[in-house]
Amino acid sequence: MRGARHAGNALKQRLWTRRPQSTCSPLAARHRPGTVVSRTFASGSQKEPPNRKSESRHGRTDPAWQSRSSSPAQSSPSRHSQPEKPPRDWDENPDLSISAFSELPSLNFGVNQHMVINAEFKEALRQILWQFRAPIRYAFAYGSGVFPQTAQAPTSPSSTVHPKTSEAISTVQGTEGKMIDFIFGVSYSQHWHSLNLHQHRDHYSGVGSLGSYVVSKVQDNWGAGVYFNPYVTVNGTLIKYGVVNLDTLCTDLSEWSTLYIAGRLQKPVKILRDDPRVRLANQVNLISAVRTALLLLPEEFSEHDLYSTIAGISYLGDPRMALPTENPKKVQNIVTHQIANFRRLYAPLVDNLPNIAFTDPITSARGWEDDPSANARLVQDMDPIKRGNMVRRLPKAFRGKLYFAFQSRYQIPRADFNRMLEQSKDEDAKGIKRQVGGTFEQRVASESPLALRRDVSGAIKKTIAWPSFSQSAKGLVTSGLGRTWRYMSAKNQKFREGRRKEVNEAKLDKEQGEKKERGRGELNTWPGKRD
């Protein structure tokens, strides 16, 4: 273990110098031959030396090196500029009571969350939001209607799904028009639904006739706290929109109470209206997704492995994945066709963690971040002390489920376990405590890879299963039987198309294998061949 620790430190040290190291660990030499340079990403994150990292072996001790900014970050800075860096403890105890972008940890904080899409398409999506008089504080569009999950390029405008949509949407979606999914974050659920019922009564099922009070109670107290209105036409475009209270949204992002909205935001989305509190909470969500994925991955892995593990988190325990309602290769399709967006979302966070590093020479090339064919290699430090700190910094609600799983495994007496939980609280009578892993977290991190994957996956399933099931059941009431049947039929069609493609690929592989075998047989029976 000591050798692995030294190897990890040596590997990290190579990320902050342009000069080749005269001596380095065998691990670093094997993974990263040649010169390694530091990288600055569009989010404003840049690798720092190991002795100044945010997750050192003994926790965070350095003060913030930049004062807070006075203006929001809405666009990416120059790729080769030196942007302001956030304080090292921004994710340890985030202040989710902020109300202005100037209160974020740094000027360009969280800009990695903003995906770059076609400008006219983005404006068309924003025009849809303006059709709602009820105030929307935070909004994003997501799913295959915004980010393609197939390699098929758009060829001509489509009108098969949308009654009379804009040319920008038709051009981006091509011949296969798709319903566009939105999430709206609102401050006051009942007030919002009151205004929206007055303007768009046709968006609601029979529940709407009971008034905004009942609608808001159904939203907040049933399922994952989201109220969906699917298959409605706005601005000539077929959309589905979900309404969630900002408090519910921020709690899920920072604590993983349900992983319902947090899971969606762990994949590339197009943010159309931003909010400082949600941006901060979502950045916590994203770095938590990286830490969780590292507990599920081996020491060495690829970008595709990392992003597939992260994208798959929200589908573990989702009952829809056990039914014929989702493409069985959904995660693979999302990552394969959106790897550049995943890189924009996560590479700055990877670059800011001390126990993971890119080890591929391609990352030294200018503009590699935008190369969709790149699949860089990474390595993580398996030091149990650092991994224990990582376990300690998992979201609170999720961390509690993981702790209970290991209590059962270790047969820890209830009194001792309660004492351990008390010590792991983020706050006590003296104030906020530093999140440093203790002996229990280190023991968790030192488990065998198979046992650790099983228990982490189990905690994820326990987090997702019931909220996802109850949210799906709520859809029968909030959407109505007609729209629910239409939605389930569309999902079933995707499932059958995915299965059909999978069977065809297997058949093609089999035919190619048989063809190779026949070629070898003909070569062996050639008349001129000697024994």
Side-chain angles (χ1 to χ4, degrees):
M1 191 62 67
R2 181 179 300 175
R5 189 179 309 161
H6 290 323
N9 291 337
L11 178 60
K12 286 291 175 180
Q13 185 63 39
R14 302 191 67 201
L15 289 169
W16 299 285
T17 176
R18 290 180 179 272
R19 295 172 297 177
Q21 300 292 317
S22 58
T23 60
C24 65
S25 70
L27 176 63
R30 185 173 77 247
H31 288 293
R32 191 70 180 273
T35 303
V36 182
V37 298
S38 63
R39 304 182 305 283
T40 300
F41 288 90
S43 69
S45 170
Q46 188 178 35
K47 258 326 191 196
E48 285 298 307
N51 61 345
R52 298 183 58 181
K53 297 303 291 185
S54 61
E55 280 184 15
S56 67
R57 288 170 53 84
H58 303 291
R60 296 181 173 97
T61 56
D62 295 328
W65 62 84
Q66 289 285 357
S67 62
R68 287 181 173 180
S69 168
S70 59
S71 60
Q74 295 292 346
S75 60
S76 166
S78 171
R79 188 183 305 277
H80 300 285
S81 63
Q82 296 295 329
E84 182 186 8
K85 303 170 187 176
R88 289 166 176 78
D89 61 348
W90 67 264
D91 67 312
E92 187 167 329
N93 293 290
D95 180 9
L96 296 181
S97 65
I98 63 173
S99 58
F101 286 98
S102 59
E103 297 178 272
L104 287 170
S106 64
L107 173 63
N108 295 298
F109 183 85
V111 75
N112 56 303
Q113 300 173 23
H114 286 265
M115 299 296 107
V116 178
I117 63 172
N118 178 276
E120 294 179 352
F121 182 45
K122 178 180 68 176
E123 183 58 30
L125 297 177
R126 284 180 171 169
Q127 288 298 320
I128 291 175
L129 301 186
W130 287 112
Q131 306 308 309
F132 292 86
R133 297 194 191 108
I136 301 171
R137 289 281 303 276
Y138 180 82
F140 66 88
Y142 67 100
S144 58
V146 182
F147 298 98
Q149 296 177 10
T150 64
Q152 187 176 13
T155 55
S156 61
S158 167
S159 60
T160 57
V161 171
H162 307 294
K164 193 178 179 181
T165 191
S166 69
E167 183 178 351
I169 293 177
S170 296
T171 301
V172 168
Q173 292 195 341
T175 56
E176 187 183 0
K178 294 184 177 182
M179 180 172 67
I180 299 178
D181 298 340
F182 293 86
I183 292 292
F184 299 160
V186 304
S187 298
Y188 305 100
S189 302
Q190 183 179 350
H191 176 65
W192 196 92
H193 285 294
S194 177
L195 296 174
N196 201 49
L197 279 165
H198 183 74
Q199 182 188 9
H200 297 300
R201 174 61 185 87
D202 58 313
H203 289 185
Y204 293 80
S205 66
V207 178
S209 61
L210 301 177
S212 61
Y213 176 79
V214 173
V215 170
S216 63
K217 288 300 180 183
V218 170
Q219 172 189 311
D220 294 332
N221 299 334
W222 190 358
V226 188
Y227 193 103
F228 280 105
N229 284 325
Y231 292 101
V232 299
T233 301
V234 178
N235 239 25
T237 304
L238 189 69
I239 72 168
K240 176 184 75 174
Y241 65 92
V243 183
V244 60
N245 188 279
L246 284 179
D247 291 337
T248 302
L249 173 58
C250 289
T251 299
D252 192 33
L253 291 173
S254 59
E255 299 183 11
W256 285 13
S257 53
T258 67
L259 267 172
Y260 195 82
I261 300 297
R264 281 159 174 75
L265 283 166
Q266 287 166 3
K267 296 177 278 290
V269 304
K270 181 54 191 175
I271 298 173
L272 302 169
R273 288 186 188 171
D274 206 351
D275 177 86
R277 186 160 62 113
V278 179
R279 187 190 288 193
L280 177 58
N282 192 32
Q283 202 75 342
V284 173
N285 173 44
L286 297 177
I287 201 167
S288 298
V290 174
R291 289 175 175 138
T292 303
L294 292 179
L295 295 175
L296 296 168
L297 289 167
E299 182 178 3
E300 303 173 43
F301 49 91
S302 68
E303 270 191 299
H304 198 282
D305 296 332
L306 175 63
Y307 304 147
S308 295
T309 303
I310 292 173
I313 287 175
S314 61
Y315 294 111
L316 283 174
D318 189 335
R320 296 175 300 173
M321 299 304 291
L323 299 173
T325 56
E326 289 288 356
N327 188 330
K329 291 191 174 182
K330 186 179 183 72
V331 172
Q332 178 181 333
N333 291 339
I334 291 173
V335 175
T336 299
H337 300 291
Q338 293 298 322
I339 193 166
N341 284 331
F342 272 95
R343 187 178 295 128
R344 176 180 176 84
L345 195 59
Y346 287 106
L349 298 176
V350 168
D351 229 35
N352 196 44
L353 289 171
N355 56 331
I356 179 175
F358 285 99
T359 61
D360 200 313
I362 193 174
T363 61
S364 300
R366 186 184 182 94
W368 78 276
E369 306 97 310
D370 301 320
D371 183 1
S373 64
N375 186 21
R377 301 292 302 176
L378 300 96
V379 63
Q380 64 168 313
D381 191 341
M382 304 301 283
D383 177 8
I385 297 179
K386 288 186 178 180
R387 285 170 68 80
N389 290 342
M390 190 166 63
V391 170
R392 177 65 183 80
R393 290 168 187 157
L394 293 175
K396 183 169 65 175
F398 174 73
R399 188 177 70 225
K401 292 182 177 66
L402 183 61
Y403 284 178
F404 277 109
F406 278 91
Q407 181 213 10
S408 176
R409 172 181 299 278
Y410 295 145
Q411 297 295 310
I412 301 174
R414 187 69 183 181
D416 294 342
F417 182 69
N418 289 338
R419 188 160 46 251
M420 183 272 295
L421 288 181
E422 188 68 26
Q423 293 173 353
S424 69
K425 284 185 176 179
D426 296 337
E427 299 180 10
D428 58 16
K430 298 179 181 179
I432 296 174
K433 298 192 297 186
R434 188 172 298 280
Q435 297 183 9
V436 179
T439 56
F440 180 80
E441 286 83 5
Q442 293 170 20
R443 188 175 178 183
V444 170
S446 300
E447 277 289 296
S448 68
L450 181 61
L452 187 59
R453 282 195 295 269
R454 181 177 63 246
D455 288 315
V456 171
S457 298
I460 295 172
K461 291 176 182 178
K462 288 180 180 178
T463 301
I464 293 173
W466 175 247
S468 182
F469 173 78
S470 54
Q471 182 70 42
S472 298
K474 183 169 73 173
L476 293 171
V477 177
T478 60
S479 303
L481 293 177
R483 290 175 179 173
T484 300
W485 177 257
R486 184 179 178 185
Y487 178 78
M488 296 298 291
S489 298
K491 287 291 187 180
N492 181 258
Q493 182 180 355
K494 288 183 178 181
F495 172 82
R496 287 188 278 110
E497 289 175 354
R499 284 294 188 193
R500 191 181 305 115
K501 183 178 180 181
E502 192 175 5
V503 170
N504 291 337
E505 289 176 352
K507 183 178 179 181
L508 181 61
D509 291 342
K510 182 179 179 181
E511 291 176 353
Q512 291 177 344
E514 292 175 349
K515 186 176 180 180
K516 289 181 180 179
E517 288 296 327
R518 286 197 300 269
R520 293 193 191 99
E522 291 173 359
L523 182 62
N524 291 335
T525 57
W526 188 257
K529 179 177 173 63
R530 291 179 176 269
D531 291 336

